[in-house]
Amino acid sequence: MNILICDDEVRYIEDIEINVKNYFNEKGQKVCFECFTDGEKALNDNLGQYDIAFLDIEIGEVKGTKIAEMIKAKNSHTVIFFITAYNNYLDEAMDLNAFRFLSKPLDIKRLFAGLEKALELIDNTVISFMIKDSSTVYKISASDIIYVEILGRYTKVVTTDGKYMSNNSMNYWQEKLTSTYFYLVHKSFIVNTNYITKYNSDQIVLNNKIDIPIAYRKRAPFRQYFLRKIEDR
């Protein structure tokens, strides 16, 4: 998950980064941040790579709405959050399909609620991966992946229609499987929690037959995540 933060006040950048990192850590998802206090410096060739962008409305000589416009031109799927106290820019921001407006100082509960919804929109629906010892590229809907397991230099991808050995690393799968229903329960396993049919404190069962261990340090955060998931159903 690649995240951009642009704000001319360092304290707000740090506040957003810490809380967003905590949010994704709880979900077992890897995040990478790029942060700028100068809007001009944010206007670079990387604008198309971000999944989520947090933009202050006024960042030096450049408006956040200008940065948002350039981001959307390169990647229409990027989810835009505007961090602002300037209501007079709302119409302009709405024209850019801004996802959320967050006021200063930051409301953490509202931030987390926004991130939860944002993940539902991020377009990582179709995943492409290389088949082991082959030049074949396989494409599959993310929702059809039951779990991914690291096996030495390769990863096993178990789906609703079969099992595949992939040349791609676990880092690759962490970056691709960003939907809220995927969880890194163990350093060797990413699971699709929609297929959980049984849950114990140290283990989950997928499709009534696949036992997956939960790492000791993951048990408490996973319990919180899973209970919240059940409540939201």
Side-chain angles (χ1 to χ4, degrees):
M1 180 72 65
N2 295 314
I3 297 176
L4 171 68
I5 306 174
C6 292
D7 197 299
D8 56 3
E9 295 185 72
V10 174
R11 60 181 174 138
Y12 286 118
I13 288 179
E14 292 175 346
D15 194 16
I16 295 167
E17 183 174 1
I18 289 170
N19 284 288
V20 171
K21 186 180 293 182
N22 288 341
Y23 172 86
F24 282 106
N25 282 345
E26 184 178 319
K27 292 185 173 298
Q29 294 185 15
K30 183 179 179 181
V31 288
C32 296
F33 293 93
E34 260 200 291
C35 304
F36 297 94
T37 55
D38 185 332
E40 289 283 357
K41 292 181 179 178
L43 300 177
N44 56 51
D45 294 336
N46 295 330
L47 283 179
Q49 73 176 10
Y50 303 114
D51 298 296
I52 299 174
F54 292 91
L55 307 174
D56 189 9
I57 288 291
E58 294 191 349
I59 315 165
E61 298 297 320
V62 178
K63 289 194 296 185
T65 49
K66 175 63 175 179
I67 298 172
E69 182 181 353
M70 295 184 69
I71 288 174
K72 287 293 188 179
K74 290 178 176 288
N75 183 358
S76 62
H77 298 297
T78 301
V79 176
I80 304 290
F81 286 79
F82 279 110
I83 317 295
T84 183
Y86 297 97
N87 292 331
N88 52 313
Y89 287 109
L90 291 181
D91 289 342
E92 187 176 352
M94 289 299 290
D95 289 341
L96 294 166
N97 294 318
F99 179 71
R100 282 286 191 281
F101 295 92
L102 300 175
S103 300
K104 296 178 179 179
L106 204 60
D107 181 330
I108 305 305
K109 185 175 181 180
R110 192 159 181 267
L111 168 65
F112 284 4
L115 287 171
E116 198 75 24
K117 292 295 184 183
L119 287 183
E120 297 175 6
L121 300 179
I122 293 173
D123 186 19
N124 282 322
T125 303
V126 177
I127 310 295
S128 301
F129 62 92
M130 295 287 294
I131 299 297
K132 175 186 173 186
D133 301 329
S134 169
S135 59
T136 303
V137 176
Y138 187 77
K139 292 186 177 182
I140 189 170
S141 171
S143 61
D144 290 334
I145 295 175
I146 300 172
Y147 73 94
V148 175
E149 178 184 4
I150 188 76
L151 293 172
R153 294 169 53 201
Y154 304 101
T155 47
K156 179 170 71 173
V157 185
V158 178
T159 75
T160 54
D161 67 354
K163 301 177 182 178
Y164 304 88
M165 294 300 293
S166 164
N167 288 329
N168 301 99
S169 68
M170 185 58 93
N171 283 341
Y172 173 85
W173 290 104
Q174 283 187 256
E175 291 173 0
K176 291 295 182 180
L177 301 178
T178 57
S179 294
T180 56
Y181 50 78
F182 285 105
Y183 200 101
L184 183 73
V185 296
H186 186 285
K187 66 180 180 180
S188 298
F189 293 94
I190 300 174
V191 302
N192 185 333
T193 58
N194 289 334
Y195 292 97
I196 293 177
T197 51
K198 186 177 180 181
Y199 165 57
N200 295 318
S201 61
D202 61 349
Q203 178 180 272
I204 55 177
V205 179
L206 305 175
N207 279 358
N208 292 310
K209 60 184 178 181
I210 305 166
D211 296 336
I212 305 289
I214 304 174
Y216 181 79
R217 65 184 181 85
K218 298 280 187 177
R219 293 175 189 174
F222 180 75
R223 175 181 170 79
Q224 293 177 352
Y225 160 83
F226 193 64
L227 290 176
R228 186 165 61 242
K229 179 182 175 71
I230 292 172
E231 290 171 358
D232 290 341
R233 285 178 175 176

